[in-house]
Amino acid sequence: MKKEVIRIEGGHELNGTVHISGAKNATVALIPAAVMADGPVTIVGVPNIEDVKNLTDILHLMNVKTQVKEPDHITIDPTEMENVVLDDSAVTKLRASYYFMGALLGKYKKVRIRMPGGCYLGPRPIDLHLKGFEALGAKIDYTGGLYTIEAEKLVGTRIFLDFASVGATINILMAAVFAEGRTTIENAAKEPEIIDVVTLLSKMGAEIHGAGTNVITIDGVKHLSGCFHEIIPDRIEAGTFIVIAAAMAKEMTVENIIPQHIDALLAKLQEMGVDMDVSIDKVVVRGRGRYKAIDAKTLPYPGLATDLQAPLTALLTQATGDSEITETIYPQRFKHCDQLNTMGADIDVRIPRAQIHGPKKLYGMDVYATDLRCGASLVVAGLMAEGVTTIHDIYHIDRGYEGIDQKLNRCGAKIWRETVEE
Ligand code: EPZ
């Protein structure tokens, strides 16, 4: 079977500017949220990634019209929408298709949808989402891989999340937007993507308070209308490029970012000794330094993002001494470590920790992107390695990074795609 791979010739110094795209993890919630409106919603800053293409396919199944004006403008028109069963392969290609649960349950009081897909990071249950829907008055049936979630009416209530889950917070608040009365979500997640979704819903007419804190209050409304919204920059893409710059750039500017969103990463890079100037919407990195080993722990926002753990681990293979990363969000999210070890790294994984012994010279090898951020870590490693690295299963990378190869080539990297027989 023919498949596309990414090849990277390592060792080239990078220079220049990288412009960060709109946030993937906000976009994948904003698109389902948009269908709750009665009229067209225009979203600007939409990244050109596979997850967006799959979500657009799902919209078309529901007879929601979409219009792409500029490459990153999408207008979503749900005026003639039909609440069909979402049983298509597009649903299983990404995790975020589960946001249609909250959006459609809220709008129609009924949704039928296949179990969502997405990156395998160890078990990824959705029990908190479902408990939230039940608390609002929904009944749930799961038969043959298909969820049916329906309610005669949704009634606002108090919901305490056992874990501050990003997905559960967004899904429950979307369902609660049309519930009768007030819903309070306690121990809500505080990630910037949640604020972005609430900003969109508020522009549409929702009554939501407290986004960005751990208590979110939603007062139910009857209708939402169309609006215009610009997506926040992708803090994980920003962090990935800052890590790349620390590894390989003489001087690289990573622009169109909100540095506060990646404070925890910047603090860790400073501790390693990375030379950076942080300003309002960009970070200038003078990389290729000699770095110190560090200890780090992934945590809910504003802690170090689990999605940056893999790229940071790749950089730590070049730091002097023993680093330790503890993963508290997805304790089994260490598949990238096997791939990095194939390239010459010395990483011991003892779940939920990885010990990285550095510095170790990396060599170009055939490696596999087992998930999106594993793919990002292999790009970081490939740029640092001697020789040519071939990354397989790059559909994971294309799900979440817009033109990562083009952005890097503009800065002097040698990275290209090839179709190979597998
Ligand atoms: C979002 O996933 C992101 N995905 C993930 O990004 C990110 O890693 C994660 O948040 C953490 O920040 C999207 O936004 C589409 P969670 P989500 O619910 O919402 C447990 C990437 O690489 N949990 O906050 O699925 C869960 O198992 C992706 O871009 C339950 O136990 O994450 C995990 O341990 C991968 N029951 C923890 O909570 C539930 O019902 C946090 O998960 C829900 C979650």
Side-chain angles (χ1 to χ4, degrees), residues 334-395:
F334 288 113
K335 289 224 171 81
H336 50 284
C337 295
D338 294 338
Q339 304 299 313
L340 293 171
N341 282 344
T342 304
M343 296 176 71
D346 182 2
I347 307 174
D348 283 328
V349 176
R350 293 189 193 146
I351 285 169
R353 273 177 266 284
Q355 284 166 348
I356 305 128
H357 311 290
K360 286 282 177 298
K361 192 167 171 55
L362 301 181
Y363 297 92
M365 293 282 170
D366 277 66
V367 283
Y368 292 81
T370 56
D371 59 76
L372 169 59
R373 307 303 169 186
C374 168
S377 80
L378 298 178
V379 171
V380 178
L383 293 165
M384 299 190 297
E386 182 181 307
V388 175
T389 298
T390 301
I391 307 178
H392 298 261
D393 295 340
I394 60 168
Y395 58 91

Side-chain angles (χ1 to χ4, degrees), residues 47-55 94 395 398-401:
N48 184 6
I49 53 175
E50 284 302 310
D51 272 7
V52 169
K53 293 200 184 86
N54 283 314
L55 285 170
L94 77 164
Y395 58 91
D398 291 332
R399 278 192 38 222
Y401 287 90

Side-chain angles (χ1 to χ4, degrees), residues 79-93:
T79 315
E80 292 168 22
M81 179 173 168
E82 292 158 27
N83 188 18
V84 300
V85 180
L86 295 178
D87 194 15
D88 190 79
S89 63
V91 174
T92 57
K93 285 189 184 147

Side-chain angles (χ1 to χ4, degrees), residues 24-25 98 125-128 165-167 307 329-330 333 373:
K24 169 206 157 233
N25 286 344
Y98 62 30
I126 58 166
D127 55 309
L128 300 175
S165 154
V166 175
D307 296 343
I329 309 294
Y330 291 108
R333 194 177 196 177
R373 307 303 169 186

Side-chain angles (χ1 to χ4, degrees), residues 50-65:
E50 284 302 310
D51 272 7
V52 169
K53 293 200 184 86
N54 283 314
L55 285 170
T56 311
D57 287 346
I58 297 173
L59 294 181
H60 295 160
L61 293 172
M62 297 188 289
N63 199 31
V64 174
K65 306 274 185 311

Side-chain angles (χ1 to χ4, degrees), residues 392-413:
H392 298 261
D393 295 340
I394 60 168
Y395 58 91
H396 283 298
I397 300 177
D398 291 332
R399 278 192 38 222
Y401 287 90
E402 175 178 272
I404 194 167
D405 40 346
Q406 292 150 13
K407 288 186 182 183
L408 284 168
N409 278 332
R410 281 199 285 272
C411 293

Side-chain angles (χ1 to χ4, degrees), residues 235-236 239-240 262 265 304-313 373:
R235 64 194 167 102
I236 309 301
T240 303
I262 45 170
L265 174 76
L304 179 68
T306 170
D307 296 343
L308 287 171
Q309 187 250 109
L312 180 60
T313 299
R373 307 303 169 186

